[in-house]
Amino acid sequence: MGLLDNFEKGLERAVNGAFAKTFKSGLQPVEIASALRRELDTKAAVVARDRILVPNKFSVRLSHLDFERMAGLGQTLTDELTQQVQQHATTQRYSFAGGISILLAPDPTLGQGMIEIDSVNVKGTVAWTPVLDIAGKRYPITHSRTVIGRGSDADITVDDTGISRRHVEILWDGTRAQVNDLGSTNGSLLNGAPVSRAPLAPDSVIDIGRTRIQFRVLAQSADVDQFADLRAEPRHPDGDLR
């Protein structure tokens, strides 16, 4: 029960601000997260003494009404669900054979509030997707250097008078990240400690002025649409990240 509580609370914190107005009633994103967690636990298979393999490709089928509401949240929701699956697998020492793919699809046979999940192991290349969560918004890191600051010339502009025009930069080489303070007036904190230059581990928190930045790396599978067309029939995966 403790692990489930922690899992659900984690997603609840993540979606509370951005999704609260959308989800005052009906199916909640946290219910999908919990269903994905159960799917991992149910399908976990011991393939070696030090390796437990779990599915990495998920088809989450919902009623048309629930699908429409969830699809309105776009990539933000699937990114959060991917992050939660990834964290739960790490906690349980589960392994994947490829990047994580979560597809939401409508199913006319399901009533509102119902969730059905089909999952399989699919071998493939992991697409490590770095993102920054800032003030309730998610910014994918698409360049090797991303500058954050108050000025219009920053790559990510933040409305905070406590930060400099070009306050901090995030460097990404495809597998590793680094944070550098750009000589800001008020300085920067990395996980609560002053920082000028340091490696940036996944789930690290950077504080600049009154703004909190969370760095995440999602282990996703490339070339998969996260939402099926509303007119499509329910899709089933046919298909494994360590």
Side-chain angles (χ1 to χ4, degrees), residues 5-239:
D5 287 344
N6 290 337
F7 181 82
E8 292 183 340
K9 288 177 181 177
L11 186 63
E12 283 175 338
R13 286 193 296 269
V15 304
N16 185 55
F19 305 158
K21 293 182 180 179
T22 306
F23 296 100
K24 291 182 179 179
S25 61
L27 184 70
Q28 302 294 316
V30 69
E31 295 178 71
I32 300 177
S34 296
L36 287 166
R37 173 193 179 277
R38 290 192 297 270
E39 186 72 10
L40 287 180
D41 293 340
T42 300
K43 296 289 185 68
V46 178
V47 296
R49 191 168 70 174
D50 60 346
R51 191 180 189 202
I52 303 174
L53 192 64
V54 290
N56 65 306
K57 187 173 183 180
F58 305 89
S59 174
V60 180
R61 294 183 282 119
L62 310 170
S63 72
H64 274 283
L65 181 58
D66 287 331
F67 173 75
E68 289 179 6
R69 294 166 66 236
M70 297 296 171
L73 299 173
Q75 189 65 37
T76 302
L77 175 60
T78 49
D79 283 354
E80 291 293 349
L81 294 173
T82 299
Q83 176 74 7
Q84 293 297 321
V85 167
Q86 189 174 320
Q87 289 180 344
H88 182 63
T90 299
T91 300
Q92 300 296 89
R93 299 183 181 275
Y94 293 155
S95 297
F96 301 103
I100 300 168
S101 167
I102 300 175
L103 173 73
L104 303 187
D107 187 333
T109 69
L110 296 180
Q112 188 175 359
M114 297 178 64
I115 304 172
E116 292 289 345
I117 297 180
D118 301 302
S119 64
V120 288
N121 292 310
V122 181
K123 292 183 178 180
T125 302
V126 178
W128 296 103
T129 306
V131 298
L132 298 172
D133 289 340
I134 308 174
K137 295 182 180 180
R138 172 157 289 176
Y139 300 88
I141 296 178
T142 57
H143 302 288
S144 59
R145 181 174 187 256
T146 302
V147 175
I148 305 169
R150 183 166 48 87
S152 59
D153 57 339
D155 297 304
I156 300 176
T157 302
V158 180
D159 184 15
D160 182 341
T161 57
I163 68 177
S164 300
R165 294 184 60 82
R166 293 169 62 86
H167 195 110
V168 70
E169 68 176 2
I170 307 298
L171 304 182
W172 172 255
D173 67 2
T175 57
R176 295 171 298 179
Q178 178 175 301
V179 57
N180 298 331
D181 183 272
L182 299 175
S184 64
T185 300
N186 296 324
S188 305
L189 299 177
L190 175 60
N191 298 323
V195 64
S196 57
R197 178 187 299 265
L200 190 59
D203 298 321
S204 293
V205 174
I206 304 164
D207 288 299
I208 57 175
R210 298 183 301 277
T211 299
R212 173 156 291 193
I213 304 167
Q214 183 164 25
F215 172 71
R216 292 178 169 179
V217 180
L218 306 179
Q220 296 180 313
S221 176
D223 66 26
V224 175
D225 292 330
Q226 302 296 333
F227 290 90
D229 189 278
L230 280 170
R231 298 181 300 276
E233 291 298 320
R235 295 175 59 185
H236 296 270
D238 55 5

